[in-house]
Amino acid sequence: MHRTTGQHDPIEELYRSLDPADTASAVSVILKLRGETCDIDCLYCYEKRKESPGGARIDARQVRRLTELFRGRPLTVELHGGEPLTAGRDHVADVLGELAAQSSVVRVSLQTNGVLLDGRWLDLFDALYPDLRIGISLDGDEQGNAWRVGYDGIPVYPKIAKALRLLAERGRTAGVITAVTPTVLGRAEAVLDHLADFGAVNAVSFVPCFDASVRRGTASVGRRPPASRLLQQARVTDSGGPDWAISPAEYADFVLAATAHWIAAGHFTRMKLEPAVSTIRRLRGLGTGFCHFSDLKCDHVFTLYPDGRLGSCDELPWPQARLTLLDQAADQEAVVAAQRGSPLLGSAKSLMHRCTVCEYRDTCGGGCTATRLRYDSSGAQDDYCDHRMRLVDGVAALLAHPADLAGARCRKVRWRPRRPNSMRDVTGFLTRWDDPAASRARVRLHTSGHGNVNTVGLPGVHAADDLDPSHPQWHDAIEPGARPLIDAVTRTWGFVTYDSCQGHPYAGLDMPPAERRVGVLPRDRGEYQAAASALCRATMAAEPRLPEPVRVLVGRSELACETTGRTVPVLDLRLRPASGRGWSAYFASLDEATEHLAAALRHERPEPGAGCACPPPLSAATRTAEEARG
């Protein structure tokens, strides 16, 4: 039987190598139609920082050669820049005609700043490629677009807004790419509302300006730099990065605020939001075409320049990302050989090693390797990983309680799905829990030699009946080590528990040890918010008193109902071995840790609307004031 490397190489599951024999997986090709040539001069433009020669144009022959090179494989093509419309109508028409003639090209998109877009361009698109997807670069409202200027230094926002209004008049839609810079921080709701007011906008992608490593302005041609470059030079310092740069933590706060508003304002009904949608899909176990969340990363993304340079993703540093020349590559095997010989791609892929053991690997997908490389070189890759985790945790919280932005920013309650995690009848269980008069049949309870209480009396995970405090066998069904935590949640808080385990070392068995845990099943969203916040406060209060070998984790998860097929959000309280400490020390300290945690739980009173113990993010005004104080 044929086996792919993805079946035994965990890195391949996060970063799949290009396989010439794979005719199903698409590759994405970014056509730099005019290289870096553009009719505006955005201060943060990464393409112009490459300082590659512009002026030439990709032609139809190169497009045809590209499809020959990747023969037998689907291609998605993006006309990019610089500004692709500066190539001129006749030239763009030739390129679009060639793309339309190629059956392997399954999607074509155009990313433009919108300055040149007019009715004649739209007529051309309608005639030659009616399904052309249009993307507009617009950084939110007028204030947010301060960095998008012409060579005269004047912001071009009015021209871009005009292009979007024209698209709406023509019945066309467009996706918007919005760079997240300090000009939009703290204003996610207003920025999203502004974009939603454009009738043509059906998708928004917030991309971060992680440019802290930029230390000099873009070079100018000629002796007199334009006003835009002088403006840029004034905003770039030798240390600390440019004024348009943001941190990963700031980006996470912005995206979570935008996602909460996207849900609350109903924008989700007509407008896709990234990275929110891809995060939601991964939380649901679904795939996504967004490479930051997919295994189709840099080995499946190519960039072609007018001079024939063929390289990997355009966000990677050039010339290191160059692979070959278009006319020198005979076939995909030659491209794969160039990829395997690329030190840059080798380094990018090696960064996935840390992802293979990360608890977020199935939702995060590893992120952007180009960004990882930048943060790795500065020794700050942990900051990048931390913000990815925060995005996953926060979006998971919003799915459980869309109105709770404070809960989405909680750093203590993390996404930790349990699979499998199901109950025969969730609604029936909750109804019976709150009805002491309901009929309750006796159940089978057996205890294993390792302390497991279940229907068969065996170690490990086995079926167990779902009991409630009014059941006569309730006490006997709870493993003794978990009782203090169960009592605090059910008696003191009045909440529902759906699962528990006292923890088992399984000495002498070929089984991994089990942690002590208690599962909480909220009755509704309000109770979910109250429980999550109270668990955060309680665990934060207990942590200073816990014995060193034990740590507490509050995990968000979902419980599947076997009767209806629906899932409901749940919370799991877990006592875990501390990093670097073994299971023996953990089990020796487990009862003491349980006493401290149970006491902290009893001290708390979950109340709807009460916040967690995590500090809120700094407001834009506070951040500015602190920066001014140095």
Side-chain angles (χ1 to χ4, degrees):
M1 181 176 69
H2 174 71
R3 295 182 182 273
T4 66
T5 55
Q7 292 175 291
H8 57 78
D9 184 352
I11 292 183
E12 284 284 338
E13 297 173 4
L14 292 160
Y15 183 126
R16 197 192 314 175
S17 299
L18 184 67
D19 180 1
D22 177 10
T23 58
S25 300
V27 296
S28 174
V29 183
I30 302 165
L31 298 185
K32 296 290 186 179
L33 215 55
R34 289 294 308 281
E36 65 166 10
T37 301
C38 188
D39 51 345
I40 66 174
D41 199 29
C42 302
L43 273 59
Y44 55 63
C45 180
Y46 68 85
E47 188 63 43
K48 290 181 181 178
R49 287 203 298 266
K50 297 174 185 176
E51 298 176 6
S52 56
R57 300 180 292 188
I58 289 176
D59 58 32
R61 183 199 65 81
Q62 289 172 302
V63 171
R64 188 161 53 253
R65 173 71 188 105
L66 193 67
T67 59
E68 293 170 354
L69 178 62
F70 292 105
R71 181 179 289 110
R73 181 189 292 275
L75 297 180
T76 66
V77 176
E78 182 174 9
L79 307 182
H80 207 277
E83 171 52 49
L85 298 188
T86 61
R89 288 186 178 83
D90 290 344
H91 197 85
V92 172
D94 289 343
V95 170
L96 285 177
E98 187 63 43
L99 288 168
Q102 299 297 331
S103 60
S104 61
V105 176
V106 295
R107 186 175 73 239
V108 179
S109 58
L110 166 78
Q111 188 63 37
T112 173
N113 59 39
V115 170
L116 296 176
L117 196 64
D118 58 17
R120 292 179 61 197
W121 274 113
L122 295 181
D123 290 341
L124 185 149
F125 300 156
D126 289 341
L128 295 178
Y129 212 104
D131 294 331
L132 179 71
R133 300 186 181 189
I134 298 176
I136 301 287
S137 299
L138 181 70
D139 297 345
D141 55 14
E142 191 163 5
Q143 179 182 343
N145 280 270
W147 310 105
R148 300 187 63 79
V149 301
Y151 287 91
D152 56 6
I154 299 175
V156 296
Y157 169 83
K159 298 177 181 178
I160 307 173
K162 180 181 178 181
L164 281 170
R165 288 191 290 269
L166 173 63
L167 287 170
E169 292 170 5
R170 295 286 294 262
R172 274 189 168 268
T173 58
V176 167
I177 292 181
T178 295
V180 180
T181 68
T183 59
V184 300
L185 294 181
R187 304 191 304 111
E189 297 84 357
V191 168
L192 193 62
D193 283 342
H194 185 84
L195 293 171
D197 282 343
F198 289 104
V201 175
N202 67 349
V204 174
S205 179
F206 288 121
V207 298
C209 271
F210 289 158
D211 284 348
S213 61
V214 174
R215 291 293 183 268
R216 63 186 182 90
T218 305
S220 300
V221 178
R223 289 181 293 180
R224 297 187 62 183
S228 55
R229 298 295 167 90
L230 294 175
L231 183 60
Q232 184 197 58
Q233 290 168 15
R235 297 305 189 100
V236 179
T237 59
D238 292 335
S239 61
D243 290 348
W244 62 77
I246 64 168
S247 70
E250 289 172 326
Y251 177 67
D253 286 335
F254 180 89
V255 169
L256 291 176
T259 303
H261 188 64
W262 175 65
I263 297 171
H267 294 321
F268 68 91
T269 60
R270 57 165 288 262
M271 192 169 68
K272 179 181 178 182
L273 183 68
E274 290 289 7
V277 169
S278 287
T279 306
I280 291 169
R281 290 186 63 84
R282 291 305 298 256
L283 286 167
R284 294 285 184 250
L286 303 173
T288 171
F290 192 176
C291 60
H292 293 194
F293 292 84
S294 166
D295 60 346
L296 300 182
K297 296 192 184 296
C298 297
D299 278 21
H300 288 74
V301 180
F302 296 90
T303 305
L304 179 65
Y305 283 89
D307 60 2
R309 286 173 296 147
L310 182 67
S312 190
C313 174
D314 65 340
E315 292 192 33
L316 287 166
W318 285 68
Q320 299 96 312
R322 172 176 164 170
L323 296 172
T324 183
L325 290 174
L326 179 64
D327 290 335
Q328 290 182 356
D331 47 33
Q332 285 190 66
E333 283 79 3
V335 174
V336 170
Q339 288 178 331
R340 291 174 179 171
S342 168
L344 180 67
L345 291 183
S347 297
K349 195 168 187 176
S350 69
L351 293 179
M352 295 292 106
H353 278 288
R354 63 158 45 198
C355 301
T356 62
V357 294
C358 178
E359 292 182 286
Y360 288 81
R361 56 173 292 173
D362 292 336
T363 42
C364 168
C368 172
T369 54
T371 306
R372 280 193 175 280
L373 282 168
R374 292 200 298 272
Y375 276 96
D376 186 61
S377 64
S378 64
Q381 193 173 165
D382 286 346
D383 293 341
Y384 181 76
C385 291
D386 185 61
H387 106 278
R388 297 280 298 178
M389 296 176 192
R390 289 186 61 194
L391 287 177
V392 171
D393 292 338
V395 173
L398 290 172
L399 288 178
H401 195 303
D404 185 22
L405 176 57
R409 287 169 168 159
C410 178
R411 303 299 305 275
K412 194 64 182 177
V413 187
R414 317 299 294 266
W415 173 249
R416 290 294 187 275
R418 292 174 54 194
R419 297 188 178 96
N421 195 30
S422 66
M423 176 181 285
R424 188 179 65 82
D425 183 2
V426 174
T427 301
F429 174 69
L430 288 172
T431 301
R432 188 168 60 251
W433 185 286
D434 291 330
D435 183 7
S439 175
R440 291 168 172 84
R442 288 193 61 81
V443 299
R444 293 177 298 162
L445 293 178
H446 299 284
T447 303
S448 78
H450 294 265
N452 308 81
V453 178
N454 50 48
T455 59
V456 292
L458 294 175
V461 179
H462 295 278
D465 290 283
D466 302 315
L467 306 186
D468 60 88
S470 297
H471 196 286
Q473 294 171 276
W474 163 257
H475 185 269
D476 294 336
I478 300 172
E479 296 171 1
R483 285 174 186 163
L485 302 177
I486 291 281
D487 287 345
V489 172
T490 58
R491 293 182 180 179
T492 306
W493 288 10
F495 283 5
V496 179
T497 56
Y498 74 95
D499 180 53
S500 65
C501 177
Q502 72 174 7
H504 307 283
Y506 294 132
L509 298 182
D510 186 21
M511 296 175 61
E515 301 170 340
R516 183 164 294 179
R517 69 174 187 272
V518 171
V520 181
L521 173 58
R523 296 175 176 87
D524 52 39
R525 285 178 171 174
E527 193 169 275
Y528 181 94
Q529 182 273 329
S533 297
L535 287 170
C536 172
R537 297 193 301 269
T539 54
M540 291 277 268
E543 278 183 341
R545 295 188 290 274
L546 294 180
E548 188 177 340
V550 182
R551 290 293 175 267
V552 182
L553 171 76
V554 183
R556 302 185 192 272
S557 186
E558 292 182 333
L559 177 68
C561 177
E562 297 168 4
T563 301
T564 65
R566 300 179 63 184
T567 60
V568 295
V570 292
L571 296 158
D572 293 316
L573 183 62
R574 303 184 189 180
L575 290 166
R576 317 188 79 181
S579 178
R581 303 303 299 263
W583 285 101
S584 295
Y586 166 80
F587 282 108
S589 305
L590 187 54
D591 288 340
E592 179 188 349
T594 300
E595 291 176 7
H596 288 303
L597 181 56
L601 292 171
R602 291 192 296 268
H603 181 73
E604 282 294 338
R605 290 295 182 272
E607 297 178 3
C612 71
C614 300
L618 295 178
S619 67
T622 302
R623 186 185 301 106
T624 301
E626 290 195 354
E627 290 173 352
R629 288 196 298 268

